[in-house]
Amino acid sequence: MDGQALITQMRRLMPPHDGAGDSVDWREAVRVWGVTFPQEYKEFVATYGDGEVDAFLTFLVPDWAEGSGPSGAMAGETTEARRMWLTKPPAGYGSPAAPPVIAWGVNARADLLCLMTAEQNSERWPVAVWSRGNLTWSVHNCGMPEYLVGLFRGEFDDMWADAEGVRRFVHVRETQRLLAIGIDPDTGEPNPYAGMFGPPPPRPARP
């Protein structure tokens, strides 16, 4: 199944709300990150972007500060993923000097979901997942959208065992808007703690 068909399927499983999605300068991302991100990942970012699903899995988007290298959550989680690769690489993949992973997600268990970038053709990058619980990597022979569809159908994680369930995605901008009006972004219901702790800190703007 091609990337666009997978995005269409994902829209049914995890509907994007109005205002979701991010615009990224992908040419600059190549310069800063040193790779060409897969087209299906670019389409995911344009459709969903920087946010989380079911208050469990946070998606990461390439970021950088002007005149510097990678920064933000993706850079931090990628650094950790590469450290874990050097510490305990997946069986059969060895321990190269430059671990071939870029993190695109992190869940509430601190597992790291990555693109495995060893293949020159980024459209063929598989997903590699570092499990914090059992301290092992698992490599899945599919791209990010196909992995997510399988994840939401309960094929990889019993967190989403209900194959017919609809997942709740909330972009970080929508999270801030809901919190400001006293709504819990995780449930869509009134937040009983609204206003008790002040407004959330603003997320840094992406160039």
Side-chain angles (χ1 to χ4, degrees):
M1 188 178 296
D2 63 32
Q4 190 56 55
L6 286 165
I7 293 294
T8 299
Q9 197 167 4
M10 202 181 315
R11 280 177 172 271
R12 293 195 293 269
L13 294 169
M14 183 177 70
H17 55 74
D18 290 344
D22 287 311
S23 177
V24 172
D25 183 341
W26 294 108
R27 282 189 175 183
E28 186 67 3
V30 171
R31 185 190 69 79
V32 173
W33 285 82
V35 298
T36 299
F37 287 87
Q39 183 60 35
E40 61 185 15
Y41 173 72
K42 296 177 185 179
E43 291 173 6
F44 178 88
V45 170
T47 303
Y48 296 97
D50 183 2
E52 66 177 21
V53 55
D54 288 359
F56 180 76
L57 172 59
T58 298
F59 299 113
L60 310 173
V61 175
D63 204 353
W64 55 89
E66 186 174 355
S68 69
S71 65
M74 176 178 269
E77 300 297 351
T78 295
T79 296
E80 178 66 4
R82 290 173 177 175
R83 187 175 74 85
M84 292 299 99
W85 188 286
L86 289 173
T87 300
K88 191 177 180 182
Y93 287 93
S95 183
V101 284
I102 293 177
W104 57 261
V106 59
N107 65 27
R109 297 191 297 250
D111 301 333
L112 298 171
L113 290 72
C114 305
L115 296 169
M116 191 170 154
T117 63
E119 171 69 46
Q120 186 172 6
N121 180 0
S122 65
E123 305 306 322
R124 297 174 61 181
W125 286 353
V127 168
V129 178
W130 170 255
S131 170
R132 189 75 62 178
N134 56 28
L135 301 179
T136 59
W137 285 96
S138 56
V139 178
H140 304 272
N141 190 27
C142 60
M144 175 211 186
E146 186 175 352
Y147 176 82
L148 281 175
V149 169
L151 188 70
F152 295 156
R153 288 177 168 170
E155 295 173 13
F156 303 124
D157 192 321
D158 59 10
M159 164 70 189
W160 284 288
D162 177 9
E164 302 303 320
V166 175
R167 317 305 164 195
R168 178 179 173 81
F169 171 82
V170 185
H171 192 280
V172 65
R173 290 187 299 267
E174 180 68 358
T175 293
Q176 293 169 347
R177 186 189 73 81
L178 292 172
L179 287 172
I181 61 174
I183 300 295
D184 185 333
D186 296 335
T187 65
E189 301 295 328
N191 181 1
Y193 304 106
M196 291 180 63
F197 306 104
R203 290 288 283 265
R206 186 177 299 106

